[in-house]
Amino acid sequence: MVIPGTLDTRGSDFARLAHTIADAGLLDRRPFYYATRISIAVVVYLGCWTLFAWLGDSWLQLLVAAALAVVFAQFGFVAHDIGHRQVFRTRRPSDVAGLLIGNLGIGLGWGWWSSKHNRHHANPNHEDHDPDVSPAVIVWSPEQAIRSRGLPRFIARYQAFWFFPLLTLEAWHLHVASFKALFNPSAKRRGPELALLIAHFAAYFGVVFTVLPVGKALLFLVIHQGLFGLYLGSTFAPNHKGMPVLTKEDKLDFLRKQVLTSRNVRGGWFTDVALGQLNYQIEHHLFPHMPAPSLRRAQPIVQQYCAEIGVSYLQTGLLDSYGQALRHLHEVGAPLRR
């Protein structure tokens, strides 16, 4: 599905919305919120590893693996907010916190991920510029499906059925990509990033294989990393998958580019916590520096404004968002099935 390139491109629409949002104080920093959230995340993280050490050689460790998958994903959400300068105003404390939480805490390369994610925000769902819709394994448009070769072409035929099983490998993909990025000549902070990644995995594998026998240790790794990847992928999938895919023919202003390619997910406080408040994806893409707890308050303002200027604003339930994404993936593979 591609947006026609003839839509209105008036840049002043976003300026008026931004003025309203700023006047409502929704861009103000929330230091107490983030101090509390980060403290809770660190305490639970350390508590899980303490429980792991206390349980020892026990099958109950598989429950700890599942709990740690959730905690690792929550660390990822915090790192995401830090990367958008929602927590600290300046780059240096943001980078230090990002390296500690990302590289050391969960084995995710801070520099590589930040660069990749910023490119996604600049051109969401753009076939040529958004790394999140590159046809590495999954293909996102019929044109990509037709051009695909090898493994992507094989998977694309029935990729809607492959999607969630493949997410169990997402954490391993992120770990490997984090290391690979450090061997790029343009990589910044190569020494500190590599040292912290090595420290994470040395401690991670060392603790797991010291406490558990090999068989249980391997099963622990499969469950922990599989659920970690599945959880992360399941929180990002509702945001853009199944929304219009842009090409070079589409000429959209900033507001329309962000709103028309994003989807919100309805829900209460549990949905907000479970999805890292990224269920307010439209508001987040319009105002990436907005602290996460302000997104809920911004949502009705943005929705009403979009209605006033005639811009389609999509908000749906969580299960329906998955259904839309999977139906889109199945439709994309239709040319190959024929």
Side-chain angles (χ1 to χ4, degrees), residues 73-104:
Q74 290 293 329
F75 260 46
F77 297 150
V78 172
H80 168 272
D81 290 3
I82 291 172
H84 283 296
R85 306 284 183 87
Q86 296 175 20
V87 183
F88 304 103
R89 292 183 182 276
T90 57
R91 179 182 296 276
R92 183 171 179 77
S94 298
D95 285 345
V96 171
L99 288 168
L100 292 176
I101 291 175
N103 292 54
L104 184 61

PDB file of all heavy atoms in Angstrom, residues 73-104:
ATOM      1  N   ALA A  73      13.568  -6.076  28.058  1.00  0.00           N
ATOM      2  CA  ALA A  73      12.787  -5.241  27.142  1.00  0.00           C
ATOM      3  C   ALA A  73      12.483  -3.888  27.769  1.00  0.00           C
ATOM      4  O   ALA A  73      12.545  -2.850  27.092  1.00  0.00           O
ATOM      5  CB  ALA A  73      11.496  -5.958  26.761  1.00  0.00           C
ATOM      6  N   GLN A  74      12.167  -3.873  29.056  1.00  0.00           N
ATOM      7  CA  GLN A  74      11.899  -2.603  29.735  1.00  0.00           C
ATOM      8  C   GLN A  74      13.157  -1.733  29.768  1.00  0.00           C
ATOM      9  O   GLN A  74      13.082  -0.515  29.632  1.00  0.00           O
ATOM     10  CB  GLN A  74      11.384  -2.855  31.147  1.00  0.00           C
ATOM     11  CG  GLN A  74       9.978  -3.440  31.206  1.00  0.00           C
ATOM     12  CD  GLN A  74       8.920  -2.460  30.723  1.00  0.00           C
ATOM     13  OE1 GLN A  74       9.059  -1.239  30.877  1.00  0.00           O
ATOM     14  NE2 GLN A  74       7.852  -2.976  30.124  1.00  0.00           N
ATOM     15  N   PHE A  75      14.327  -2.359  29.931  1.00  0.00           N
ATOM     16  CA  PHE A  75      15.585  -1.617  29.815  1.00  0.00           C
ATOM     17  C   PHE A  75      15.715  -1.031  28.412  1.00  0.00           C
ATOM     18  O   PHE A  75      16.193   0.098  28.236  1.00  0.00           O
ATOM     19  CB  PHE A  75      16.771  -2.545  30.112  1.00  0.00           C
ATOM     20  CG  PHE A  75      17.325  -2.413  31.498  1.00  0.00           C
ATOM     21  CD1 PHE A  75      16.482  -2.370  32.593  1.00  0.00           C
ATOM     22  CD2 PHE A  75      18.692  -2.340  31.720  1.00  0.00           C
ATOM     23  CE1 PHE A  75      16.990  -2.240  33.885  1.00  0.00           C
ATOM     24  CE2 PHE A  75      19.217  -2.222  32.996  1.00  0.00           C
ATOM     25  CZ  PHE A  75      18.368  -2.172  34.080  1.00  0.00           C
ATOM     26  N   GLY A  76      15.297  -1.805  27.416  1.00  0.00           N
ATOM     27  CA  GLY A  76      15.338  -1.305  26.048  1.00  0.00           C
ATOM     28  C   GLY A  76      14.451  -0.091  25.859  1.00  0.00           C
ATOM     29  O   GLY A  76      14.821   0.860  25.164  1.00  0.00           O
ATOM     30  N   PHE A  77      13.271  -0.084  26.493  1.00  0.00           N
ATOM     31  CA  PHE A  77      12.382   1.078  26.398  1.00  0.00           C
ATOM     32  C   PHE A  77      13.023   2.308  27.038  1.00  0.00           C
ATOM     33  O   PHE A  77      12.913   3.422  26.516  1.00  0.00           O
ATOM     34  CB  PHE A  77      11.050   0.782  27.092  1.00  0.00           C
ATOM     35  CG  PHE A  77      10.261  -0.334  26.473  1.00  0.00           C
ATOM     36  CD1 PHE A  77       9.421  -1.127  27.250  1.00  0.00           C
ATOM     37  CD2 PHE A  77      10.347  -0.612  25.121  1.00  0.00           C
ATOM     38  CE1 PHE A  77       8.690  -2.153  26.689  1.00  0.00           C
ATOM     39  CE2 PHE A  77       9.623  -1.642  24.538  1.00  0.00           C
ATOM     40  CZ  PHE A  77       8.793  -2.419  25.332  1.00  0.00           C
ATOM     41  N   VAL A  78      13.673   2.103  28.179  1.00  0.00           N
ATOM     42  CA  VAL A  78      14.353   3.226  28.846  1.00  0.00           C
ATOM     43  C   VAL A  78      15.473   3.764  27.956  1.00  0.00           C
ATOM     44  O   VAL A  78      15.638   4.988  27.797  1.00  0.00           O
ATOM     45  CB  VAL A  78      14.906   2.794  30.215  1.00  0.00           C
ATOM     46  CG1 VAL A  78      15.780   3.898  30.818  1.00  0.00           C
ATOM     47  CG2 VAL A  78      13.763   2.460  31.174  1.00  0.00           C
ATOM     48  N   ALA A  79      16.256   2.846  27.363  1.00  0.00           N
ATOM     49  CA  ALA A  79      17.329   3.284  26.462  1.00  0.00           C
ATOM     50  C   ALA A  79      16.757   4.057  25.276  1.00  0.00           C
ATOM     51  O   ALA A  79      17.350   5.044  24.812  1.00  0.00           O
ATOM     52  CB  ALA A  79      18.120   2.070  25.972  1.00  0.00           C
ATOM     53  N   HIS A  80      15.607   3.623  24.775  1.00  0.00           N
ATOM     54  CA  HIS A  80      14.935   4.328  23.680  1.00  0.00           C
ATOM     55  C   HIS A  80      14.623   5.766  24.079  1.00  0.00           C
ATOM     56  O   HIS A  80      14.891   6.709  23.328  1.00  0.00           O
ATOM     57  CB  HIS A  80      13.654   3.580  23.312  1.00  0.00           C
ATOM     58  CG  HIS A  80      12.733   4.336  22.409  1.00  0.00           C
ATOM     59  ND1 HIS A  80      11.764   5.205  22.896  1.00  0.00           N
ATOM     60  CD2 HIS A  80      12.622   4.366  21.049  1.00  0.00           C
ATOM     61  CE1 HIS A  80      11.115   5.729  21.883  1.00  0.00           C
ATOM     62  NE2 HIS A  80      11.611   5.248  20.755  1.00  0.00           N
ATOM     63  N   ASP A  81      14.057   5.966  25.261  1.00  0.00           N
ATOM     64  CA  ASP A  81      13.711   7.313  25.716  1.00  0.00           C
ATOM     65  C   ASP A  81      14.965   8.161  25.917  1.00  0.00           C
ATOM     66  O   ASP A  81      14.976   9.358  25.607  1.00  0.00           O
ATOM     67  CB  ASP A  81      12.915   7.240  27.020  1.00  0.00           C
ATOM     68  CG  ASP A  81      11.522   6.672  26.817  1.00  0.00           C
ATOM     69  OD1 ASP A  81      11.192   6.290  25.675  1.00  0.00           O
ATOM     70  OD2 ASP A  81      10.757   6.600  27.800  1.00  0.00           O
ATOM     71  N   ILE A  82      16.025   7.550  26.438  1.00  0.00           N
ATOM     72  CA  ILE A  82      17.288   8.275  26.603  1.00  0.00           C
ATOM     73  C   ILE A  82      17.828   8.714  25.248  1.00  0.00           C
ATOM     74  O   ILE A  82      18.325   9.838  25.092  1.00  0.00           O
ATOM     75  CB  ILE A  82      18.313   7.389  27.343  1.00  0.00           C
ATOM     76  CG1 ILE A  82      17.872   7.188  28.802  1.00  0.00           C
ATOM     77  CG2 ILE A  82      19.706   8.016  27.302  1.00  0.00           C
ATOM     78  CD1 ILE A  82      18.703   6.171  29.555  1.00  0.00           C
ATOM     79  N   GLY A  83      17.718   7.835  24.267  1.00  0.00           N
ATOM     80  CA  GLY A  83      18.214   8.159  22.931  1.00  0.00           C
ATOM     81  C   GLY A  83      17.507   9.336  22.299  1.00  0.00           C
ATOM     82  O   GLY A  83      18.088  10.049  21.468  1.00  0.00           O
ATOM     83  N   HIS A  84      16.257   9.551  22.673  1.00  0.00           N
ATOM     84  CA  HIS A  84      15.494  10.685  22.146  1.00  0.00           C
ATOM     85  C   HIS A  84      15.629  11.943  23.006  1.00  0.00           C
ATOM     86  O   HIS A  84      14.868  12.900  22.814  1.00  0.00           O
ATOM     87  CB  HIS A  84      14.016  10.315  22.032  1.00  0.00           C
ATOM     88  CG  HIS A  84      13.704   9.456  20.840  1.00  0.00           C
ATOM     89  ND1 HIS A  84      13.879   9.890  19.545  1.00  0.00           N
ATOM     90  CD2 HIS A  84      13.227   8.189  20.748  1.00  0.00           C
ATOM     91  CE1 HIS A  84      13.516   8.938  18.712  1.00  0.00           C
ATOM     92  NE2 HIS A  84      13.131   7.886  19.406  1.00  0.00           N
ATOM     93  N   ARG A  85      16.572  11.939  23.943  1.00  0.00           N
ATOM     94  CA  ARG A  85      16.794  13.083  24.843  1.00  0.00           C
ATOM     95  C   ARG A  85      15.543  13.414  25.657  1.00  0.00           C
ATOM     96  O   ARG A  85      15.294  14.579  25.964  1.00  0.00           O
ATOM     97  CB  ARG A  85      17.231  14.315  24.041  1.00  0.00           C
ATOM     98  CG  ARG A  85      18.429  14.120  23.139  1.00  0.00           C
ATOM     99  CD  ARG A  85      19.737  14.089  23.938  1.00  0.00           C
ATOM    100  NE  ARG A  85      20.853  13.969  23.022  1.00  0.00           N
ATOM    101  CZ  ARG A  85      21.449  15.007  22.440  1.00  0.00           C
ATOM    102  NH1 ARG A  85      21.021  16.229  22.680  1.00  0.00           N
ATOM    103  NH2 ARG A  85      22.458  14.811  21.615  1.00  0.00           N
ATOM    104  N   GLN A  86      14.766  12.415  25.987  1.00  0.00           N
ATOM    105  CA  GLN A  86      13.613  12.641  26.846  1.00  0.00           C
ATOM    106  C   GLN A  86      14.030  12.731  28.309  1.00  0.00           C
ATOM    107  O   GLN A  86      13.321  13.321  29.126  1.00  0.00           O
ATOM    108  CB  GLN A  86      12.600  11.510  26.684  1.00  0.00           C
ATOM    109  CG  GLN A  86      11.988  11.415  25.293  1.00  0.00           C
ATOM    110  CD  GLN A  86      11.080  10.216  25.152  1.00  0.00           C
ATOM    111  OE1 GLN A  86      10.617   9.666  26.142  1.00  0.00           O
ATOM    112  NE2 GLN A  86      10.817   9.793  23.919  1.00  0.00           N
ATOM    113  N   VAL A  87      15.180  12.144  28.632  1.00  0.00           N
ATOM    114  CA  VAL A  87      15.622  12.060  30.026  1.00  0.00           C
ATOM    115  C   VAL A  87      16.619  13.168  30.351  1.00  0.00           C
ATOM    116  O   VAL A  87      16.440  13.906  31.320  1.00  0.00           O
ATOM    117  CB  VAL A  87      16.241  10.681  30.299  1.00  0.00           C
ATOM    118  CG1 VAL A  87      16.642  10.556  31.771  1.00  0.00           C
ATOM    119  CG2 VAL A  87      15.258   9.570  29.919  1.00  0.00           C
ATOM    120  N   PHE A  88      17.673  13.278  29.545  1.00  0.00           N
ATOM    121  CA  PHE A  88      18.709  14.297  29.753  1.00  0.00           C
ATOM    122  C   PHE A  88      18.689  15.280  28.586  1.00  0.00           C
ATOM    123  O   PHE A  88      18.420  14.905  27.446  1.00  0.00           O
ATOM    124  CB  PHE A  88      20.092  13.645  29.849  1.00  0.00           C
ATOM    125  CG  PHE A  88      20.194  12.587  30.916  1.00  0.00           C
ATOM    126  CD1 PHE A  88      20.166  11.245  30.582  1.00  0.00           C
ATOM    127  CD2 PHE A  88      20.303  12.935  32.253  1.00  0.00           C
ATOM    128  CE1 PHE A  88      20.263  10.256  31.543  1.00  0.00           C
ATOM    129  CE2 PHE A  88      20.397  11.961  33.235  1.00  0.00           C
ATOM    130  CZ  PHE A  88      20.375  10.614  32.883  1.00  0.00           C
ATOM    131  N   ARG A  89      19.025  16.509  28.859  1.00  0.00           N
ATOM    132  CA  ARG A  89      18.994  17.542  27.820  1.00  0.00           C
ATOM    133  C   ARG A  89      20.186  17.459  26.885  1.00  0.00           C
ATOM    134  O   ARG A  89      20.079  17.793  25.703  1.00  0.00           O
ATOM    135  CB  ARG A  89      18.963  18.940  28.461  1.00  0.00           C
ATOM    136  CG  ARG A  89      17.675  19.271  29.189  1.00  0.00           C
ATOM    137  CD  ARG A  89      17.709  20.697  29.718  1.00  0.00           C
ATOM    138  NE  ARG A  89      16.499  21.017  30.456  1.00  0.00           N
ATOM    139  CZ  ARG A  89      15.365  21.421  29.912  1.00  0.00           C
ATOM    140  NH1 ARG A  89      15.297  21.557  28.601  1.00  0.00           N
ATOM    141  NH2 ARG A  89      14.320  21.687  30.653  1.00  0.00           N
ATOM    142  N   THR A  90      21.326  17.040  27.390  1.00  0.00           N
ATOM    143  CA  THR A  90      22.554  17.107  26.606  1.00  0.00           C
ATOM    144  C   THR A  90      23.024  15.718  26.187  1.00  0.00           C
ATOM    145  O   THR A  90      22.593  14.693  26.727  1.00  0.00           O
ATOM    146  CB  THR A  90      23.675  17.802  27.413  1.00  0.00           C
ATOM    147  OG1 THR A  90      23.877  17.094  28.637  1.00  0.00           O
ATOM    148  CG2 THR A  90      23.282  19.242  27.727  1.00  0.00           C
ATOM    149  N   ARG A  91      23.936  15.692  25.229  1.00  0.00           N
ATOM    150  CA  ARG A  91      24.381  14.432  24.637  1.00  0.00           C
ATOM    151  C   ARG A  91      25.209  13.593  25.593  1.00  0.00           C
ATOM    152  O   ARG A  91      25.027  12.369  25.653  1.00  0.00           O
ATOM    153  CB  ARG A  91      25.192  14.730  23.366  1.00  0.00           C
ATOM    154  CG  ARG A  91      25.728  13.472  22.687  1.00  0.00           C
ATOM    155  CD  ARG A  91      26.556  13.824  21.464  1.00  0.00           C
ATOM    156  NE  ARG A  91      25.744  14.475  20.455  1.00  0.00           N
ATOM    157  CZ  ARG A  91      25.006  13.815  19.561  1.00  0.00           C
ATOM    158  NH1 ARG A  91      24.973  12.490  19.581  1.00  0.00           N
ATOM    159  NH2 ARG A  91      24.305  14.470  18.667  1.00  0.00           N
ATOM    160  N   ARG A  92      26.127  14.202  26.341  1.00  0.00           N
ATOM    161  CA  ARG A  92      27.080  13.406  27.131  1.00  0.00           C
ATOM    162  C   ARG A  92      26.382  12.514  28.164  1.00  0.00           C
ATOM    163  O   ARG A  92      26.626  11.296  28.189  1.00  0.00           O
ATOM    164  CB  ARG A  92      28.110  14.305  27.800  1.00  0.00           C
ATOM    165  CG  ARG A  92      29.164  13.514  28.568  1.00  0.00           C
ATOM    166  CD  ARG A  92      30.305  14.393  29.055  1.00  0.00           C
ATOM    167  NE  ARG A  92      31.289  13.640  29.797  1.00  0.00           N
ATOM    168  CZ  ARG A  92      32.202  12.860  29.264  1.00  0.00           C
ATOM    169  NH1 ARG A  92      32.286  12.729  27.942  1.00  0.00           N
ATOM    170  NH2 ARG A  92      33.073  12.212  30.020  1.00  0.00           N
ATOM    171  N   PRO A  93      25.529  13.060  29.054  1.00  0.00           N
ATOM    172  CA  PRO A  93      24.863  12.149  30.004  1.00  0.00           C
ATOM    173  C   PRO A  93      23.949  11.147  29.316  1.00  0.00           C
ATOM    174  O   PRO A  93      23.793  10.022  29.795  1.00  0.00           O
ATOM    175  CB  PRO A  93      24.078  13.095  30.917  1.00  0.00           C
ATOM    176  CG  PRO A  93      23.965  14.371  30.165  1.00  0.00           C
ATOM    177  CD  PRO A  93      25.186  14.468  29.318  1.00  0.00           C
ATOM    178  N   SER A  94      23.363  11.533  28.182  1.00  0.00           N
ATOM    179  CA  SER A  94      22.520  10.595  27.429  1.00  0.00           C
ATOM    180  C   SER A  94      23.360   9.430  26.923  1.00  0.00           C
ATOM    181  O   SER A  94      22.952   8.258  27.014  1.00  0.00           O
ATOM    182  CB  SER A  94      21.840  11.307  26.262  1.00  0.00           C
ATOM    183  OG  SER A  94      20.975  12.328  26.704  1.00  0.00           O
ATOM    184  N   ASP A  95      24.547   9.735  26.375  1.00  0.00           N
ATOM    185  CA  ASP A  95      25.412   8.675  25.856  1.00  0.00           C
ATOM    186  C   ASP A  95      25.914   7.762  26.976  1.00  0.00           C
ATOM    187  O   ASP A  95      25.962   6.539  26.810  1.00  0.00           O
ATOM    188  CB  ASP A  95      26.603   9.286  25.116  1.00  0.00           C
ATOM    189  CG  ASP A  95      26.209   9.846  23.757  1.00  0.00           C
ATOM    190  OD1 ASP A  95      25.112   9.513  23.272  1.00  0.00           O
ATOM    191  OD2 ASP A  95      26.994  10.620  23.179  1.00  0.00           O
ATOM    192  N   VAL A  96      26.293   8.353  28.109  1.00  0.00           N
ATOM    193  CA  VAL A  96      26.786   7.534  29.228  1.00  0.00           C
ATOM    194  C   VAL A  96      25.694   6.592  29.713  1.00  0.00           C
ATOM    195  O   VAL A  96      25.916   5.389  29.895  1.00  0.00           O
ATOM    196  CB  VAL A  96      27.279   8.436  30.382  1.00  0.00           C
ATOM    197  CG1 VAL A  96      27.573   7.599  31.624  1.00  0.00           C
ATOM    198  CG2 VAL A  96      28.520   9.213  29.956  1.00  0.00           C
ATOM    199  N   ALA A  97      24.491   7.132  29.931  1.00  0.00           N
ATOM    200  CA  ALA A  97      23.382   6.295  30.393  1.00  0.00           C
ATOM    201  C   ALA A  97      23.017   5.251  29.345  1.00  0.00           C
ATOM    202  O   ALA A  97      22.729   4.094  29.680  1.00  0.00           O
ATOM    203  CB  ALA A  97      22.174   7.172  30.723  1.00  0.00           C
ATOM    204  N   GLY A  98      23.031   5.648  28.072  1.00  0.00           N
ATOM    205  CA  GLY A  98      22.706   4.704  27.011  1.00  0.00           C
ATOM    206  C   GLY A  98      23.699   3.565  26.918  1.00  0.00           C
ATOM    207  O   GLY A  98      23.324   2.406  26.707  1.00  0.00           O
ATOM    208  N   LEU A  99      24.984   3.862  27.086  1.00  0.00           N
ATOM    209  CA  LEU A  99      26.006   2.823  27.048  1.00  0.00           C
ATOM    210  C   LEU A  99      25.867   1.855  28.217  1.00  0.00           C
ATOM    211  O   LEU A  99      26.021   0.642  28.060  1.00  0.00           O
ATOM    212  CB  LEU A  99      27.395   3.465  27.060  1.00  0.00           C
ATOM    213  CG  LEU A  99      27.841   4.168  25.776  1.00  0.00           C
ATOM    214  CD1 LEU A  99      29.097   4.991  26.027  1.00  0.00           C
ATOM    215  CD2 LEU A  99      28.090   3.151  24.666  1.00  0.00           C
ATOM    216  N   LEU A 100      25.563   2.387  29.394  1.00  0.00           N
ATOM    217  CA  LEU A 100      25.438   1.532  30.570  1.00  0.00           C
ATOM    218  C   LEU A 100      24.207   0.638  30.482  1.00  0.00           C
ATOM    219  O   LEU A 100      24.264  -0.558  30.784  1.00  0.00           O
ATOM    220  CB  LEU A 100      25.382   2.387  31.845  1.00  0.00           C
ATOM    221  CG  LEU A 100      26.673   3.127  32.198  1.00  0.00           C
ATOM    222  CD1 LEU A 100      26.458   4.015  33.426  1.00  0.00           C
ATOM    223  CD2 LEU A 100      27.805   2.142  32.470  1.00  0.00           C
ATOM    224  N   ILE A 101      23.085   1.215  30.061  1.00  0.00           N
ATOM    225  CA  ILE A 101      21.852   0.438  29.983  1.00  0.00           C
ATOM    226  C   ILE A 101      21.851  -0.470  28.752  1.00  0.00           C
ATOM    227  O   ILE A 101      21.474  -1.641  28.828  1.00  0.00           O
ATOM    228  CB  ILE A 101      20.632   1.377  29.962  1.00  0.00           C
ATOM    229  CG1 ILE A 101      20.490   2.064  31.325  1.00  0.00           C
ATOM    230  CG2 ILE A 101      19.354   0.612  29.622  1.00  0.00           C
ATOM    231  CD1 ILE A 101      19.377   3.098  31.382  1.00  0.00           C
ATOM    232  N   GLY A 102      22.274   0.079  27.608  1.00  0.00           N
ATOM    233  CA  GLY A 102      22.240  -0.684  26.370  1.00  0.00           C
ATOM    234  C   GLY A 102      23.360  -1.698  26.270  1.00  0.00           C
ATOM    235  O   GLY A 102      23.130  -2.910  26.316  1.00  0.00           O
ATOM    236  N   ASN A 103      24.599  -1.234  26.150  1.00  0.00           N
ATOM    237  CA  ASN A 103      25.727  -2.138  25.947  1.00  0.00           C
ATOM    238  C   ASN A 103      25.965  -3.050  27.151  1.00  0.00           C
ATOM    239  O   ASN A 103      26.056  -4.265  27.007  1.00  0.00           O
ATOM    240  CB  ASN A 103      27.000  -1.343  25.659  1.00  0.00           C
ATOM    241  CG  ASN A 103      26.967  -0.639  24.326  1.00  0.00           C
ATOM    242  OD1 ASN A 103      26.047   0.115  24.039  1.00  0.00           O
ATOM    243  ND2 ASN A 103      27.980  -0.858  23.501  1.00  0.00           N
ATOM    244  N   LEU A 104      26.095  -2.457  28.329  1.00  0.00           N
ATOM    245  CA  LEU A 104      26.434  -3.247  29.512  1.00  0.00           C
ATOM    246  C   LEU A 104      25.225  -3.999  30.059  1.00  0.00           C
ATOM    247  O   LEU A 104      25.338  -5.162  30.453  1.00  0.00           O
ATOM    248  CB  LEU A 104      27.010  -2.329  30.601  1.00  0.00           C
ATOM    249  CG  LEU A 104      27.494  -3.033  31.871  1.00  0.00           C
ATOM    250  CD1 LEU A 104      28.628  -4.011  31.548  1.00  0.00           C
ATOM    251  CD2 LEU A 104      27.956  -2.004  32.909  1.00  0.00           C
TER     252      LEU A 104
END
